[in-house]
């Protein structure tokens, strides 16, 4: 459920970054990241929906019937075209994260390294599924650190803009 919320909010966060990069050479790099993130999110969310809602329904049915027979359908939900679409979506999201990191690196408005944890974390999304639980938690923390670092930079930019706007208003008075 948290992944569904996070992936839904990701393109909105990138739109905020795009606003902060207007008028810089990095602006043209962030637009493809937004497009890739929207498409990647669209490809990824159906799989998470199947996991969240479909597997829950199978589990409830197994409990109701007092048998694990419905659980034989788990692999049907987790494989086939849905899995291919999910993997394609995660690859698109990795490409979006790399484009975002490149834009932030070139922007001169953000710390050069601020997009790197996000890009690395998103690029490791597929491999982390094959890791142990502690590795998966560490992966989640890496993505979270990357998102928080970018959000803090965006927040600082907004505060600076508000202060500059206030100074300009006072100068006009």
């Amino acid at each position: 459920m948290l992944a569904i919320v996070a992936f839904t909010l990701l393109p909105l966060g990138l739109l905020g970054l795009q606003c902060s990069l207007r008028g810089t050479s990095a602006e043209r790099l962030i637009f493809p990241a937004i497009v890739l993130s929207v498409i990647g999110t669209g490809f990824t969310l159906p799989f998470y929906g199947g996991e969240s809602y479909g597997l829950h329904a199978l589990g409830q049915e197994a409990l109701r019937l007092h048998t694990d027979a419905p659980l034989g359908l788990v692999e049907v939900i987790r494989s086939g075209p849905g899995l291919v679409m999910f993997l394609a979506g995660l690859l698109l999201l990795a490409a979006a994260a790399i484009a975002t990191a490149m834009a932030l690196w070139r922007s001169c408005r953000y710390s050069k390294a601020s997009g790197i944890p996000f890009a690395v974390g998103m690029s490791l999304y597929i491999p982390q599924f094959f890791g142990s639980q502690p590795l998966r938690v560490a992966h989640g923390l890496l993505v979270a650190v990357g998102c928080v670092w970018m959000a803090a930079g965006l927040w600082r930019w907004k505060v600076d803009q508000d202060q500059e706007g206030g100074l300009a208003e006072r100068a006009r008075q």
Side-chain angles (χ1 to χ4, degrees), residues 58-67:
L58 286 178
Q60 292 298 313
E61 185 66 5
L63 290 174
R64 188 183 72 76
L65 296 174
H66 302 290
T67 177

Side-chain angles (χ1 to χ4, degrees), residues 144-158:
V145 165
C147 290
V148 168
W149 194 350
M150 291 186 304
L154 184 56
W155 184 276
R156 278 191 303 276
W157 172 80
K158 180 65 174 142

Side-chain angles (χ1 to χ4, degrees), residues 9-24:
L9 295 176
L10 176 62
L12 296 175
L14 295 181
L15 282 172
L17 287 175
Q18 182 188 32
C19 288
S20 75
L21 295 174
R22 279 197 190 122
T24 70

Side-chain angles (χ1 to χ4, degrees), residues 101 104-105 107-115 149 153 156:
L104 295 178
W105 186 276
S107 73
C108 300
R109 290 190 178 166
Y110 290 86
S111 163
K112 286 197 178 294
S114 62
W149 194 350
R156 278 191 303 276

Side-chain angles (χ1 to χ4, degrees), residues 70-154:
L71 301 182
L73 295 173
V74 167
E75 287 309 311
V76 173
I77 292 172
R78 288 184 166 165
S79 63
L83 178 61
V84 172
M85 199 162 100
F86 175 67
L87 295 174
L90 289 177
L91 291 173
L92 290 169
L93 288 168
I98 291 167
T100 299
M102 289 170 55
L104 295 178
W105 186 276
R106 295 181 183 170
S107 73
C108 300
R109 290 190 178 166
Y110 290 86
S111 163
K112 286 197 178 294
S114 62
I116 292 174
F118 174 65
V120 170
M122 294 303 289
S123 297
L124 293 175
Y125 232 96
I126 294 170
Q128 65 89 29
F129 284 113
F130 300 103
S132 64
Q133 189 63 27
L135 182 66
R136 293 177 78 176
V137 170
H139 171 262
L141 290 173
L142 176 63
V143 174
V145 165
C147 290
V148 168
W149 194 350
M150 291 186 304
L154 184 56

